[in-house]
Amino acid sequence: MDLKNGSVVTEFILLGFSGQREFHIFFFVTFLLIYSATVWGNILIMVTVKFSSTLHSPMYFLLGNLSFLDMCLSTVTTPKMITDLLSEHKTISVWGCMTQMFFMHLFGGAEMTLLIAMAFDRYVAICKPLHYRTIMSHRLLSGFMILSWTIGFVHTMSQMVLTVNLPFCGPNVIDNIFCDLPLVIQLACMDTYTMEFFVIADSGLLSLICFILLLVSYTVILITVQQRSSGGLTKALSTLSAHIIVVTLFFGPCIFIYAWPFNSFAGNKVLAVFYTIITPLLNPVIYTLRNQKMQGAMRKLWFQHVISTQKF
């Protein structure tokens, strides 16, 4: 290991966005509004699913958990990124950086598994409607949740166990808006080829394989529906379109960031913004604006709240 002048890095510098301060103020206001909408939108979904009796079904149970993961994923990086937009010194400690990466991959890995569970839920609901309640039992849903968090934990630990032991003794500048494995690994004072290959195999292939499995599952659903009834294809497309949009917009940036060689897309700040800020907002937007049942449940809960308030 070649230590430069015996120095040891204790913090990283996040370059963030370049440009004039006016642009930083614009980004600050824009991202603050998006983050606020993400948090309150996902909280609204979780509260509605929890307290609305009409939404006590497997689909909305999974949707509520997806909202929780989206909110957590955004919270790991966005508040720090927003405050850095108005700060002259955009630094983060080494352990703060490690913590950020740990939770990013924990929530990201859990969400990948949860999206597969949601695809299975839609398959059963559309292709086996008479057996839906029997198959999608509380026991299976609990199993999905345990599996989701287990895969997320194993996924992040398998990478972080190696990353926390890397020596950082030279460059400490990360050309991005948050810490992430590809760029942090490149700053280590050692040959990281094997580590880079492992991250591509772990995060990149996991994202790509999950995405392909989801596309195959949705294709099977559409083919099954088309064979049974031509009229049911339109209804199935309407039901699945929201899921397909969420899946594509979630996995797209992940695949570009992790499945390609590190120097290609790892430092792309547009993908980073899309993955951590835009995508978590899409869940409440898509599932509320397109879902009449969800909208009806929200209005009903609001009316109940107003009436109970007036009584006091």
Side-chain angles (χ1 to χ4, degrees), residues 37-56 60 63-64 67 281-307:
T38 298
V39 171
W40 288 110
N42 282 299
I43 288 177
L44 181 60
I45 289 180
M46 289 187 287
V47 170
T48 304
V49 171
K50 175 67 176 179
F51 294 102
S52 177
S53 58
T54 60
L55 301 183
H56 289 174
Y60 292 103
L63 176 58
S67 293
L281 176 65
L282 295 176
N283 183 25
V285 169
I286 291 175
Y287 285 106
T288 54
L289 294 181
R290 293 176 53 88
N291 193 313
Q292 294 182 353
K293 190 173 181 180
M294 177 68 74
Q295 292 177 2
M298 289 180 176
R299 285 193 296 267
K300 184 178 179 180
L301 286 179
W302 174 252
F303 290 146
Q304 290 175 350
H305 173 72
V306 172
I307 293 173

Side-chain angles (χ1 to χ4, degrees), residues 128-148:
K128 300 180 182 294
L130 297 179
H131 303 284
Y132 179 70
R133 286 289 181 177
T134 303
I135 296 175
M136 299 302 297
S137 61
H138 290 292
R139 182 177 180 180
L140 181 62
L141 291 175
S142 299
F144 278 146
M145 291 303 100
I146 294 173
L147 180 64
S148 175

Side-chain angles (χ1 to χ4, degrees), residues 172-185:
N172 67 334
V173 178
I174 300 175
D175 188 15
N176 210 332
I177 58 177
F178 57 82
C179 293
D180 202 6
L181 281 169
L183 297 179
V184 172
I185 289 173

Side-chain angles (χ1 to χ4, degrees), residues 33-194:
L33 292 175
I34 292 176
Y35 177 66
S36 300
T38 298
V39 171
W40 288 110
N42 282 299
I43 288 177
L44 181 60
I45 289 180
M46 289 187 287
V47 170
T48 304
V49 171
K50 175 67 176 179
F51 294 102
S52 177
S53 58
T54 60
L55 301 183
H56 289 174
S57 67
M59 172 185 170
Y60 292 103
F61 172 79
L62 296 173
L63 176 58
N65 282 273
L66 179 64
S67 293
F68 176 75
L69 289 173
D70 274 336
M71 183 179 66
C72 292
L73 183 61
S74 181
T75 302
V76 170
T77 58
T78 307
K80 169 64 176 171
M81 184 212 68
I82 291 175
T83 56
D84 281 349
L85 286 169
L86 300 182
S87 174
E88 294 294 332
H89 305 286
K90 303 176 178 63
T91 61
I92 183 172
S93 67
V94 171
W95 282 107
C97 188
M98 297 298 168
T99 301
Q100 198 176 65
M101 293 188 294
F102 174 86
F103 284 106
M104 272 191 62
H105 287 270
L106 171 65
F107 297 132
E111 185 161 338
M112 289 181 190
T113 310
L114 185 61
L115 287 170
I116 293 177
M118 294 179 71
F120 178 77
D121 171 77
R122 290 301 83 202
Y123 168 78
V124 176
I126 294 174
C127 299
K128 300 180 182 294
L130 297 179
H131 303 284
Y132 179 70
R133 286 289 181 177
T134 303
I135 296 175
M136 299 302 297
S137 61
H138 290 292
R139 182 177 180 180
L140 181 62
L141 291 175
S142 299
F144 278 146
M145 291 303 100
I146 294 173
L147 180 64
S148 175
W149 284 103
T150 301
I151 289 180
F153 182 75
V154 171
H155 167 64
T156 192
M157 284 299 294
S158 64
Q159 299 175 105
M160 295 309 301
V161 164
L162 300 176
T163 306
V164 295
N165 292 317
L166 290 176
F168 299 101
C169 53
N172 67 334
V173 178
I174 300 175
D175 188 15
N176 210 332
I177 58 177
F178 57 82
C179 293
D180 202 6
L181 281 169
L183 297 179
V184 172
I185 289 173
Q186 290 180 328
L187 297 178
C189 302
M190 59 178 291
D191 181 17
T192 58
Y193 175 79
T194 303

Side-chain angles (χ1 to χ4, degrees), residues 14 24 32 77 173 195 261 282:
L14 298 170
H24 286 196
L32 180 61
T77 58
V173 178
M195 183 70 178
L282 295 176

Side-chain angles (χ1 to χ4, degrees), residues 209-265:
I209 291 172
C210 288
F211 181 63
I212 292 174
L213 287 175
L214 286 166
L215 290 183
V216 170
S217 67
Y218 289 135
T219 303
V220 170
I221 293 174
L222 294 176
I223 292 175
T224 303
V225 172
Q226 185 180 30
Q227 291 175 345
R228 293 181 178 180
S229 171
S230 58
L233 182 60
T234 303
K235 183 178 179 181
L237 280 172
S238 177
T239 303
L240 293 177
S241 59
H243 294 266
I244 294 173
I245 291 172
V246 170
V247 165
T248 302
L249 296 179
F250 176 79
F251 281 100
C254 292
I255 293 171
F256 279 113
I257 291 173
Y258 296 109
W260 261 253
F262 277 25
N263 293 329
S264 300
F265 292 97

